Amino acid sequence: MWDPSKGIQIGPVTLHFYSLMFIFSFGLGYILMARIFKNDNVNIKYLEPLFTWTLIGTILGARLGHVIFYQPELFKEDFWSVFLPISTKNGLKFTGFSGLASHGATIALIFTTLYYSFKIIKKNPFWVYDRIGIVVALGGAFVRMGNFFNSEIVGKPVDPNSPFAIFFPQQSSEYGATVPRYPTQLFEAFGYVCLFVLLWILYKKTNKKYQQGWLFGLFFIILWAIRFFVEFLKMPQGDEFIQFAGLNTGQVLSIPFMIAGFVIMIYSKKFKITEAENGKPE
């Protein structure tokens, strides 16, 4: 039975565990990226703008992605809730950003990182993507843990005798009677932690970080493959506006990213650099 409190009560304010998971993901991400910059002999002054643009791209892209792919009716019914953590339906109230989509965050991060790469650090964007992928893999695990605390993105019903059976009573109003379900949030989180460990080992122990784009391509393939296969066990997230051949919206959107990963890995051999070039600009 999984029915925890949704946060820590501090006076009149509730600090939600979901928000804490986001703070942990960005905090650890900053620490990890600082270590990566030091390891690559890149001036730490380039870290602050990377953090800023990554934060903007993640939050704005994830929110827009959710609304576009899963709740487009909000553009008409509650426009300001798309961009602000409020709801104007039935009176003004603070809601936080409820509804974030990883596909949208990924697309936005691609564009904000392009700007950062060309205008700020002046490196091949794949150099930046390779390193962001390591951090994002770990951050994704924290986000899914936040979903678990919120009892959201739950799995399909499962046999009560299954070792994976969990009751999510908080979601009975959305999914009907409380029945045992797969903890798909934990499945994804575990997959992302494994991906982080793999990418970190490859970054530290091999020369693949000098083959710009190789680590990022691998990150894309595995990350979206995890998402694709876990989707088979998930309940639908809102209205499934995109469906094809029995696949749901999350699966259909994951396929182009996996294909892109393969293409990037193939072409990464054209972007090899030396150890000396890796540290520029100083």
Side-chain angles (χ1 to χ4, degrees):
M1 184 69 69
W2 180 248
D3 191 18
S5 64
K6 289 192 174 183
I8 302 171
Q9 197 70 31
I10 305 175
V13 178
T14 300
L15 183 57
H16 288 265
F17 289 123
Y18 185 79
S19 300
L20 277 175
M21 294 301 103
F22 255 90
I23 293 171
F24 287 155
S25 64
F26 279 102
L28 283 176
Y30 186 92
I31 294 170
L32 277 172
M33 195 58 74
R35 185 171 176 181
I36 287 172
F37 272 38
K38 182 178 180 181
N39 184 71
D40 286 324
N41 296 314
V42 173
N43 196 315
I44 201 69
K45 72 179 182 180
Y46 295 106
L47 180 59
E48 293 290 346
L50 176 61
F51 178 82
T52 300
W53 283 106
T54 299
L55 180 62
I56 293 172
T58 299
I59 300 298
L60 184 59
R63 181 59 182 155
L64 281 173
H66 174 83
V67 175
I68 291 170
F69 296 133
Y70 298 102
Q71 279 187 292
E73 70 274 8
L74 284 182
F75 284 115
K76 285 186 176 181
E77 296 177 1
D78 196 4
F79 180 79
W80 291 111
S81 71
V82 176
F83 302 98
L84 300 173
I86 62 172
S87 173
T88 57
K89 292 180 67 175
N90 303 317
L92 181 65
K93 61 181 179 179
F94 179 81
T95 60
F97 284 117
S98 56
L100 302 172
S102 54
H103 296 94
T106 300
I107 294 170
L109 273 176
I110 288 173
F111 286 104
T112 56
T113 302
L114 282 174
Y115 175 83
Y116 170 81
S117 301
F118 289 124
K119 295 295 185 179
I120 299 176
I121 198 170
K122 294 180 170 51
K123 279 182 172 290
N124 185 318
F126 285 127
W127 185 95
V128 184
Y129 291 140
D130 283 342
R131 287 145 182 82
I132 282 184
I134 300 172
V135 174
V136 169
L138 184 60
F142 278 106
V143 171
R144 284 296 179 251
M145 286 298 297
N147 295 138
F148 184 65
F149 276 110
N150 277 359
S151 297
E152 59 193 6
I153 313 183
V154 299
K156 294 178 179 178
V158 63
D159 189 311
N161 296 318
S162 168
F164 299 115
I166 292 184
F167 288 92
F168 294 95
Q170 288 179 357
Q171 289 289 30
S172 59
S173 61
E174 181 174 351
Y175 295 108
T178 300
V179 297
R181 298 180 180 278
Y182 287 109
T184 48
Q185 316 96 324
L186 299 183
F187 293 165
E188 267 192 83
F190 176 75
Y192 296 157
V193 169
C194 292
L195 175 58
F196 162 73
V197 172
L198 173 63
L199 292 174
W200 183 255
I201 291 173
L202 290 171
Y203 167 78
K204 291 287 290 183
K205 303 297 183 181
T206 73
N207 290 325
K208 288 301 182 182
K209 65 181 177 181
Y210 302 132
Q211 188 171 327
Q212 299 174 113
W214 194 91
L215 288 173
F216 180 60
L218 182 65
F219 160 76
F220 250 32
I221 294 169
I222 298 178
L223 179 91
W224 297 112
I226 292 170
R227 175 69 185 270
F228 182 89
F229 288 109
V230 173
E231 285 291 327
F232 282 113
L233 304 178
K234 283 184 186 178
M235 291 293 292
Q237 297 179 53
D239 294 326
E240 296 286 350
F241 292 99
I242 305 174
Q243 292 182 318
F244 177 76
L247 303 177
N248 65 25
T249 301
Q251 291 171 315
V252 173
L253 293 175
S254 296
I255 292 173
F257 288 117
M258 287 190 282
I259 294 173
F262 280 109
V263 174
I264 291 169
M265 288 188 76
I266 292 171
Y267 280 92
S268 66
K269 58 186 177 183
K270 295 185 177 182
F271 304 117
K272 287 184 178 179
I273 57 175
T274 64
E275 185 176 352
E277 292 172 322
N278 186 60
K280 295 179 181 179
E282 298 177 355

